[in-house]
Amino acid sequence: MKIRVRKELIDGILAYSREMHPREIILLLGGKAGNDVEVNRVVVPPKAIHGLGFSGFQQYMLPFDLSIVGAIHSHPSGFSTPSVHDLNHPYGKITMIVAYPYRSVDDITIFGKRGQMLPFEVVVQ
């Protein structure tokens, strides 16, 4: 599976993570998913909770949207590995984790539904 993420989204996600630190961020990833995944937008879930060591949203408050390909959240601890909760509650096809210090694409890791690390490409458009 190939995953492509727009550079302006990466830059925005890193900036948002820095601004919210030490609180966790939670966003949804919009795009196209088939054999490959193209992430071309982020969606802020309604009434999202950004806590110290946790983040979340009420799935029942989301409109029906087949273009949501996954979720993203930050790990203010600096560890980019998925937690047990992350592994047991994936939302969509991919999970993106942004780890402190949120400086570059090197602080971002993407995982599949089974917890496997997936390579991704940053696309400039």
Side-chain angles (χ1 to χ4, degrees):
M1 169 184 345
K2 289 185 182 180
I3 301 171
R4 293 178 202 82
V5 184
R6 289 188 180 175
K7 182 179 182 333
E8 63 266 18
L9 292 180
I10 295 288
D11 294 342
I13 290 165
L14 291 167
Y16 185 52
S17 298
R18 285 191 302 270
E19 183 178 316
M20 292 296 290
H21 186 80
R23 298 187 179 281
E24 270 194 28
I25 68 159
I26 184 86
L27 298 166
L28 301 177
L29 300 166
K32 298 175 187 173
N35 290 333
D36 297 336
V37 176
E38 179 184 321
V39 179
N40 55 30
R41 66 189 174 96
V42 294
V43 177
V44 179
K47 299 195 179 203
I49 299 168
H50 306 279
L52 297 172
F54 68 95
S55 60
F57 62 94
Q58 299 296 327
Q59 292 182 17
Y60 68 87
M61 296 193 71
L62 295 175
F64 183 71
D65 186 349
L66 294 175
S67 70
I68 299 298
V69 298
I72 175 172
H73 67 279
S74 62
H75 279 185
S77 65
F79 295 105
S80 64
T81 54
S83 67
V84 171
H85 185 270
D86 296 339
L87 294 171
N88 288 328
H89 299 93
Y91 190 83
K93 199 166 190 168
I94 60 173
T95 298
M96 182 184 290
I97 296 177
V98 186
Y100 178 81
Y102 327 112
R103 295 283 179 222
S104 73
V105 71
D106 295 333
D107 297 322
I108 296 176
T109 311
I110 297 179
F111 298 91
K113 286 184 121 178
R114 294 184 185 98
Q116 73 278 26
M117 191 182 312
L118 301 172
F120 65 98
E121 174 185 355
V122 177
V123 180
V124 179
Q125 288 188 323

